[in-house]
Amino acid sequence: MGLKAVHFGGGNIGRGFVAEKLHLAGYEVVFIDVVDDLISKLQNTKGYTVTEIGGEGEKVNNITNYRAINSKHNEQDAIDEVASSDLVTCAVGPNILKFIAPVIGKAIDKRTASKPLAVIACENAIGATDTLAGFIKDSKNTPQDRLSSISDRATFANSAIDRIVPGQDPDAGLNVKIESFYEWVVDQTPFAKEGHPEVSAIKWVDDLNPFIERKLFTVNTGHAAAAYYGHARGKHTVDEALDDKEIKKLVYDCLAETAHLIVKKHGISTEEQNAYVEKIVKRISNPYLKDVVERVGRAPLRKLSRKERFIGPASQLAESSDKVDALLGAIEQAFGFVDVEGDEESAELGKILKSTGAKDVVTKVCGLEESHPLFSKIVPIVEKVQSNKGLK
């Protein structure tokens, strides 16, 4: 019997990154989602293409050997597929993990295979697999008398993923355009006993934290900063924003501050981090991605939260009395990303700024307590945005 992977989330990252790499590694992929139209398309289409876009041109991979299940209507089928699979992955968004946990929990509980099921969450969040495992181990999803033996049936490993998926053509269907560069790093230590799944695209490491923070505080910080500055100055795409010398310098200034943190904290050399920064700026400047700033900037509440791309590094730097001026500038632009059409979090941010005092905004949105050294630096920024936007 061949290898089988179940992937939760049939969106662009799921189809264009995770499933693509699993397919190329020889897995049959079973997609699980609750979007009726998406599942119907997957069930009625024998294949789709993933077009990798890079400076060297385009490469097209044809993805086949997959099935799809709508867990909203066929939960038991989804449970059975997960229970008999070799690997479970997901790319559903951090806020959706709690909704997929019941199916995975029931599947793990009924698993009979001798080798534990490998569970790897592929989310743009720190410790996403740990978060998913916490939901799975909740008494609503796993009988508490079975918790002590759950490691016999499942192995949970955190990961860090990095690949830019730009906006897609309106008539693309299931086909996905995606950048050619990618990084998929997974903690191998949980697999010490049984061995990790064989997926050539994965880089297996003993310490994931440096990779997670380097990626989040370089790729995500730089990408979002360019988008927010670009939006504020009327740019359409990220590459257009970075063609503006002033915006490009502002982004580099942000990444100089995060680089200082990464070098000091993780022992990465200055030369290596600087080279990584240059590679990332070149990637996000790729005009072929046509990466619209509103798409990159969407969900500002999440991006302004405590462990995310701006507050995460700025809070750590402030704790060491290190420079955070450039990050504060990007944070100001992020707070100004309000009432953007089609972005629910942008609308909600506008409501919060309009109805809440600056100090309470910083606590609520950024998760900072008043005693934190970064708190007093962000309060005047919020007050400025509220005044400029006529929100107070």
Side-chain angles (χ1 to χ4, degrees):
M1 189 174 178
L3 295 168
K4 181 174 74 174
V6 172
H7 178 77
F8 285 81
N12 293 330
I13 284 287
R15 299 195 314 279
F17 183 4
V18 183
E20 178 204 34
K21 297 307 179 187
L22 294 175
H23 169 78
L24 294 173
Y27 286 79
E28 177 193 24
V29 178
V30 180
F31 290 100
I32 295 180
D33 209 307
V34 295
V35 179
D36 295 341
D37 181 58
L38 174 61
I39 290 297
S40 178
K41 286 180 180 177
L42 285 165
Q43 290 173 337
N44 293 293
T45 307
K46 291 184 178 180
Y48 64 88
T49 61
V50 175
T51 302
E52 300 182 350
I53 306 167
E56 65 284 355
E58 296 184 355
K59 177 186 176 184
V60 179
N61 288 318
N62 293 300
I63 311 302
T64 56
N65 191 30
Y66 61 80
R67 292 180 287 120
I69 295 172
N70 190 323
S71 57
K72 181 170 61 178
H73 305 304
N74 304 103
E75 182 180 279
Q76 191 56 53
D77 290 344
I79 291 169
D80 292 343
E81 291 289 354
V82 173
S84 60
S85 65
D86 300 284
L87 169 63
V88 169
T89 57
C90 66
V92 294
N95 295 333
I96 307 300
L97 294 173
K98 59 177 175 263
F99 298 114
I100 68 172
V103 167
I104 301 174
K106 291 172 186 175
I108 290 171
D109 195 54
K110 69 172 288 187
R111 185 173 175 83
T112 58
S114 58
K115 189 172 183 177
L117 173 66
V119 180
I120 303 172
C122 305
E123 306 291 345
N124 211 351
I126 294 173
T129 307
D130 286 344
T131 301
L132 176 59
F135 290 130
I136 289 170
K137 294 174 183 178
D138 186 277
S139 58
K140 296 191 296 291
N141 301 319
T142 298
Q144 295 304 284
D145 62 346
R146 299 275 283 167
L147 275 182
S148 62
S149 62
I150 196 171
S151 62
D152 296 334
R153 296 181 296 281
T155 301
F156 301 93
N158 285 312
S159 76
I161 61 165
D162 180 9
R163 202 174 198 184
I164 296 172
V165 185
Q168 303 295 305
D169 297 332
D171 59 348
L174 295 175
N175 299 333
V176 182
K177 284 187 177 180
I178 197 165
E179 74 163 332
S180 56
F181 176 91
Y182 74 90
E183 194 170 55
W184 187 3
V185 188
V186 181
D187 183 2
Q188 69 180 349
T189 57
F191 298 106
K193 182 180 177 182
E194 301 288 345
H196 60 67
E198 291 302 320
V199 181
S200 59
I202 293 177
K203 179 176 183 177
W204 300 95
V205 300
D206 291 326
D207 184 3
L208 191 62
N209 286 332
F211 293 91
I212 290 175
E213 288 207 333
R214 185 181 72 162
K215 185 261 179 178
L216 183 61
F217 298 164
T218 310
V219 182
N220 297 98
T221 301
H223 207 198
Y228 290 135
Y229 275 113
H231 174 76
R233 301 184 186 201
K235 309 297 183 181
H236 180 59
T237 60
V238 171
D239 64 285
E240 285 179 17
L242 289 168
D243 275 342
D244 184 310
K245 291 181 180 179
E246 187 174 345
I247 293 177
K248 193 168 191 174
K249 182 182 184 304
L250 290 165
V251 171
Y252 267 117
D253 288 347
C254 285
L255 298 184
E257 290 177 357
T258 60
H260 177 72
L261 173 66
I262 291 162
V263 168
K264 182 170 70 170
K265 183 176 180 180
H266 296 298
I268 295 171
S269 71
T270 300
E271 293 74 20
E272 181 183 348
Q273 180 60 20
N274 288 344
Y276 183 69
V277 166
E278 289 300 325
K279 179 170 70 174
I280 297 314
V281 173
K282 183 178 179 182
R283 282 175 58 203
I284 64 178
S285 300
N286 184 349
Y288 297 104
L289 292 175
K290 297 182 174 63
D291 222 353
V292 177
V293 294
E294 286 76 19
R295 187 202 74 81
V296 178
R298 68 188 175 191
L301 287 175
R302 175 170 63 83
K303 288 168 181 165
L304 282 166
S305 62
R306 182 67 173 82
K307 295 182 179 180
E308 264 282 349
R309 62 205 69 194
F310 296 124
I311 306 301
S315 62
Q316 295 182 55
L317 288 164
E319 288 164 9
S320 302
S321 300
D322 285 316
K323 186 172 175 289
V324 293
D325 295 352
L327 285 168
L328 289 173
I331 289 167
E332 179 181 334
Q333 303 307 310
F335 268 111
F337 193 79
V338 297
D339 300 326
V340 174
E341 185 178 353
D343 187 344
E344 292 181 5
E345 285 197 15
S346 173
E348 181 62 23
L349 176 58
K351 292 177 184 176
I352 292 170
L353 288 169
K354 191 171 184 178
S355 63
T356 312
K359 287 186 176 181
D360 289 337
V361 169
V362 176
T363 300
K364 181 174 184 176
V365 175
C366 304
L368 291 169
E369 58 279 4
E370 195 163 349
S371 60
H372 193 280
L374 188 63
F375 186 93
S376 62
K377 297 178 185 293
I378 298 182
V379 170
I381 286 174
V382 173
E383 291 173 338
K384 179 181 176 182
V385 172
Q386 288 175 322
S387 175
N388 290 347
K389 294 281 184 179
L391 296 169
K392 291 300 283 184

